[in-house]
Amino acid sequence: MNLDFSPREIAFRDEVRRFIADAYPPALRAKQKAGEHLGREDYLSWHRALAKQGWIAPGWPVEYGGPGLTPTQKHLLAEELAAADTVRLPPFGISMVGPVIYAFGTAEQKARFLPPTLAGDIWWCQGYSEPGAGSDLASLKTRAVRGVDADGDHYIVNGQKTWTTLAQYADWGFFLVRTDPDAKAQEGISFLLIDMKSPGVTVRPIITLDGAHEVNEVWLEDVRVPVENRVYDENRGWTCAKFLLAHERTNIAGVAASKNGLNKLRAVAQAEGLADDPVYQRKLADLEIDLLALEYTELRTLARESAGKGPGPESSLLKIKGTEVQQRLTELMVEAVGAYALPDRRAIRSGNLGPVGPDWAGRAAPTYFNMRKTSIYGGSNEIQRNIITKMILGL
Ligand SMILES: Cc1cc2nc3c(=O)[nH]c(=O)nc-3n(C[C@H](O)[C@H](O)[C@H](O)COP(=O)(O)OP(=O)(O)OC[C@H]3O[C@@H](n4cnc5c(N)ncnc54)[C@H](O)[C@@H]3O)c2cc1C
């Protein structure tokens, strides 16, 4: 999209470009190019560089360590980070629990958790979903029973969470637990911060379609959690949960990353001889139009935020359209590379099979499989449609 940027904004964009060129960890870049699995330290190396620059949390208020960027500067930062193909950092600390803590936490919780979250010294995971509670999250059963002993006021937590992304790296988790089993579903839930090293916490891997270890089961067995780790009032955790989900959904749209993906796809299509294929080009054009419309919607949301209004139900629109675009990008990539998407890339990497096809073919199929998740997580797209029906259309 061509926006008219002021000289100050253009100077900011140039500063971002210079910063990325200087500060992006070369080892991380090399791993990305080789299509290698990224681990905790890979993500943290980039998180820390952004934190040092003051740009890790563009959405946070200045008083809690946000950089005080204008909506246009935030947009430019996101665009440049995506255009330079920097890794998307896990959102759990900066985009999810951080805002909950500064909006609902006590002064002690803010002082204890916000600075290390910004600095990349705490890796967070999100313990919402359970085997029987996904879309119907309020039916969650993980139980927290309050008690007092010589060591103080605490909860004993028992239950099972699932799909917990990158919990294998997490230092802390934010969990929804049931503190009042007799209250109406939404009214008996509390929001707890749990140290993942606490006795009784077990993390077990779930391997996804693309062969990656990205999600986990988390078991909580008699885990002792001090009451001071509860955010907001007891039994009012649902308020924090909803606030967080609206932030999560805006973040999921990934417009800047999709624009970068579209540019890459164009280059691949050209190289694969599809530049003159009218059917393929028509699909690319349709995708670009949807992406452009999405970008306008995201900019409107940013403008609302800068006017002091948090993301509302329109974040459901961003979630649906953003994830559809992401999935279509991966479908068109598989279509472009054709049969080269078929070989088992793990066999190639392990040396059991020589290189097959051009460089860009390697990630096509695993990425296609991996991105099926986007219309499920953060509240499935069907659920987002229900929210739009009720909250926006008023039906
Ligand atoms: C890769 C990945 C990572 C995730 N990471 C996390 C994480 O870090 N932390 C966390 O807490 N959770 C995480 N999740 C869980 C995610 O939020 C849930 O998968 C999601 O909310 C859907 O719940 P479910 O899987 O139980 O499906 P279900 O709720 O069982 O839904 C099954 C199907 O029925 C449809 N459906 C259900 N109810 C309705 C309805 N009322 N109207 C219309 N359709 C309906 C759904 O859209 C879906 O298609 C992750 C999920 C995935 C796939």
Side-chain angles (χ1 to χ4, degrees):
M1 187 195 314
N2 286 323
L3 292 172
D4 287 330
F5 296 120
S6 69
R8 193 170 150 243
E9 287 159 351
I10 291 171
F12 175 76
R13 187 185 64 194
D14 293 344
E15 189 189 347
V16 175
R17 284 185 185 166
R18 276 195 306 276
F19 164 73
I20 297 172
D22 292 345
Y24 199 68
L28 179 55
R29 178 70 75 205
K31 275 194 168 180
Q32 276 175 278
K33 276 207 167 133
E36 282 179 32
H37 169 76
L38 301 182
R40 179 182 153 110
E41 284 312 310
D42 296 314
Y43 289 108
L44 285 180
S45 63
W46 181 224
H47 181 119
R48 290 190 180 123
L50 275 168
K52 204 165 151 218
Q53 179 70 10
W55 290 339
I56 187 65
W60 286 27
V62 174
E63 58 181 308
Y64 300 120
L69 301 179
T70 64
T72 311
Q73 285 177 324
K74 284 186 208 168
H75 176 71
L76 287 171
L77 178 60
E79 291 255 304
E80 293 303 322
L81 290 174
D85 218 11
T86 64
V87 288
R88 287 186 82 184
L89 293 170
F92 306 107
I94 298 298
S95 306
M96 295 190 186
V97 73
V100 168
I101 292 174
Y102 65 64
F104 297 96
T106 60
E108 290 74 29
Q109 287 168 341
K110 290 177 195 174
R112 181 175 174 199
F113 291 109
L114 295 180
T117 299
L118 275 179
D121 294 336
I122 300 183
W123 185 301
W124 290 93
C125 67
Q126 179 186 24
Y128 274 28
S129 307
E130 298 180 3
S135 302
D136 183 15
L137 185 59
S139 69
L140 62 93
K141 291 199 167 52
T142 293
R143 184 83 169 93
V145 178
R146 193 158 172 174
V148 185
D149 62 17
D151 293 327
D153 205 358
H154 63 271
Y155 294 100
I156 297 295
V157 183
N158 278 286
Q160 184 198 350
K161 297 292 175 178
T162 192
W163 309 121
T164 324
T165 299
L166 299 180
Q168 71 268 34
Y169 300 146
D171 305 299
W172 282 78
F174 48 95
F175 286 80
L176 291 180
V177 298
R178 186 158 300 286
T179 33
D180 183 354
D182 301 322
K184 277 210 308 211
Q186 282 91 341
E187 289 167 15
I189 291 172
S190 298
F191 191 99
L192 292 188
L193 309 179
I194 300 184
D195 183 341
M196 296 295 282
K197 288 182 294 302
S198 309
V201 176
T202 308
V203 176
R204 294 189 188 139
I206 301 174
I207 303 302
T208 44
L209 269 177
D210 55 331
H213 175 194
E214 189 174 303
V215 284
N216 301 273
E217 294 176 341
V218 175
W219 293 79
L220 303 153
E221 288 162 294
D222 289 333
V223 179
R224 189 178 194 286
V225 182
V227 166
E228 70 212 33
N229 291 4
R230 189 193 69 231
V231 180
Y232 204 43
D233 300 339
E234 190 169 83
N235 298 326
R236 292 181 71 192
W238 193 247
T239 305
C240 304
K242 277 195 305 187
F243 171 88
L244 182 147
L245 283 173
H247 277 263
E248 176 177 357
R249 278 168 204 150
T250 321
N251 194 54
I252 283 174
V255 172
S258 288
K259 282 170 73 178
N260 183 40
L262 186 62
N263 288 337
K264 280 191 196 164
L265 182 59
R266 276 222 167 73
V268 169
Q270 178 86 23
E272 292 289 338
L274 292 165
D276 299 321
D277 182 321
V279 177
Y280 194 85
Q281 288 302 321
R282 164 79 198 263
K283 289 180 192 169
L284 270 183
D286 280 347
L287 187 58
E288 181 167 11
I289 291 164
D290 283 354
L291 186 51
L292 207 58
L294 181 66
E295 188 176 13
Y296 276 102
T297 311
E298 190 177 68
L299 286 172
R300 278 200 301 273
T301 312
L302 275 180
R304 262 179 62 91
E305 275 185 57
S306 73
K309 297 173 189 154
E314 72 279 2
S315 58
S316 295
L317 282 172
L318 287 173
K319 202 266 164 171
I320 295 174
K321 295 308 284 184
T323 55
E324 283 177 357
V325 165
Q326 288 164 21
Q327 292 186 339
R328 278 160 66 197
L329 274 169
T330 66
E331 286 155 21
L332 286 179
M333 184 63 92
V334 169
E335 195 176 326
V337 305
Y340 289 133
L342 286 174
D344 180 344
R345 296 287 146 182
R346 277 169 301 165
I348 296 173
R349 277 203 293 278
S350 69
N352 295 332
L353 194 65
V356 182
D359 281 354
W360 54 76
R363 294 296 308 153
T367 308
Y368 166 83
F369 284 124
N370 187 276
M371 294 305 272
R372 299 304 94 196
K373 69 189 176 188
T374 63
S375 47
I376 304 171
Y377 66 20
S380 74
N381 286 11
E382 290 77 25
I383 294 300
Q384 302 313 315
R385 289 191 177 88
N386 288 350
I387 293 173
I388 292 168
T389 309
K390 261 198 224 153
M391 308 293 286
I392 302 182
L393 303 177
L395 298 173

